Amino acid sequence: VFGLLWRRDGARSGVATEFEQRSTGGPGVAHSSIASVAGRVWWRPVERLRATLERQQTVTAVASDRIALGLDWRVLPKLTLGARGTTGTSGRTLNGDAALALGRRSAYLREEQRDEFGRRSSGTVFGVQSPLGATGRTYTEYQWQRDAAGDRALSVLGLEQGWRSAEGLAWRIAGEYGTRVGAVGAAPGTAVGRRTTVSSDLSYRGRLPVSGATRGEVRMDDGAIRQRQYLFSTHLEWTLLAGFAVRGDYRLSFAHQIDLGLTPARFEESSVGLAYR
């Protein structure tokens, strides 16, 4: 991956442009190279209104171009309305949202219309969240999705709590429970899927020249196929002299089907690199 980014922001306007090229190859993999360029301009004609114009253009490989226009209007100090429209090679999308902030509590509503690759779909999302102590929160979200396969509803309930020390050590633990209602062939109002997720993060960024973060996550799906998904991810960085740093990453994830005793998917990746700032 090779990328270049230039960005400049002011009080009432800003501009950014980016070039990226991705090349893939190896044993059993056909060589491919994709290059694209993108630009974004934003401005505030008045204090409470922000407009954004984005354009992405493919330079090589199969075209994947799009242009997007977005508007954010702070109607009241605690109420913000937004709209975003996108059109491109894959199709068109239209989004609208409203966000209400009451101190550290907030509520949001989003509506989305999609017409991509000849398939039409729409969805509505409503959610609320409130603080849980100094660094935690509880939240709930409801989603209604509509497409050619039928109507579906999803609900999510979660909480997370975190702790942070003055030495730069931070720990977070979170839990989430979700249900899915409605599917092709299912009786109306029947729960056809349940998912429970437990995750935890541990990170350090303090006075020592070593910093990093590690994350673990377990997902338990109880539906037509009962399975467990596991994810582990670690990132470490060692700061050297003159702006150099050694960076290392390790990721492991796999899924295990309970009923069949199979592992249909497994992914492992490790990398080490040198960075200069």
Side-chain angles (χ1 to χ4, degrees):
V1 180
F2 172 76
L4 289 173
L5 171 65
W6 180 83
R7 175 176 175 177
R8 183 177 179 86
D9 291 316
R12 287 190 171 272
S13 63
V15 62
T17 181
E18 182 178 9
F19 171 80
E20 182 181 84
Q21 182 170 358
R22 292 177 175 267
S23 300
T24 305
V29 179
H31 177 76
S32 64
S33 180
I34 301 175
S36 60
V37 63
R40 180 177 69 251
V41 178
W42 69 268
W43 68 97
R44 293 183 183 275
V46 294
E47 181 61 28
R48 293 189 174 186
L49 183 64
R50 174 186 169 112
T52 306
L53 177 64
E54 300 176 358
R55 169 67 176 176
Q56 176 180 302
Q57 181 73 38
T58 304
V59 180
T60 61
V62 180
S64 180
D65 309 328
R66 72 172 185 267
I67 186 171
L69 177 63
L71 294 173
D72 292 292
W73 180 28
R74 194 176 62 188
V75 183
L76 300 171
K78 298 180 180 181
L79 177 62
T80 302
L81 303 180
R84 179 182 174 88
T86 303
T87 183
T89 307
S90 60
R92 299 183 299 271
T93 64
L94 181 62
N95 302 321
D97 61 81
L100 178 65
L102 300 174
R104 295 179 58 193
R105 296 178 174 85
S106 62
Y108 55 90
L109 176 66
R110 291 197 299 265
E111 179 69 24
E112 181 180 68
Q113 302 286 335
R114 289 180 173 271
D115 186 0
E116 296 182 316
F117 303 104
R119 297 188 297 269
R120 293 186 177 182
S121 62
S122 62
T124 304
V125 178
F126 173 73
V128 295
Q129 67 174 8
S130 61
L132 180 64
T135 57
R137 68 178 182 124
T138 61
Y139 60 92
T140 183
E141 185 176 275
Y142 299 90
Q143 302 179 18
W144 297 270
Q145 299 178 358
R146 302 169 291 274
D147 55 26
D151 296 344
R152 300 179 301 280
L154 297 90
S155 63
V156 174
L157 175 65
L159 61 86
E160 61 182 42
Q161 184 61 268
W163 296 267
R164 184 180 298 274
S165 68
E167 291 76 18
L169 188 65
W171 179 44
R172 185 189 69 92
I173 185 169
E176 185 178 278
Y177 175 76
T179 60
R180 180 165 60 93
V181 179
V184 177
T190 303
V192 296
R194 297 180 177 87
R195 168 177 289 181
T196 303
T197 304
V198 179
S199 63
S200 182
D201 301 83
L202 180 65
S203 64
Y204 172 78
R205 184 174 295 274
R207 296 182 178 180
L208 297 178
V210 178
S211 62
T214 183
R215 174 182 174 84
E217 183 175 308
V218 180
R219 296 181 181 179
M220 294 160 281
D221 289 318
D222 295 317
I225 300 178
R226 298 179 60 243
Q227 65 177 0
R228 302 290 182 266
Q229 301 178 51
Y230 303 89
L231 167 67
F232 305 96
S233 177
T234 299
H235 170 77
L236 295 175
E237 184 168 329
W238 180 25
T239 303
L240 305 177
L241 298 175
F244 286 93
V246 177
R247 308 178 65 181
D249 293 276
Y250 177 76
R251 300 181 183 90
L252 173 65
S253 62
F254 59 92
H256 179 68
Q257 292 186 0
I258 304 300
D259 298 333
L260 302 178
L262 301 176
T263 304
R266 187 179 187 276
F267 172 82
E268 185 176 11
E269 178 187 51
S270 59
S271 64
V272 62
L274 183 66
Y276 172 75
R277 296 183 179 86

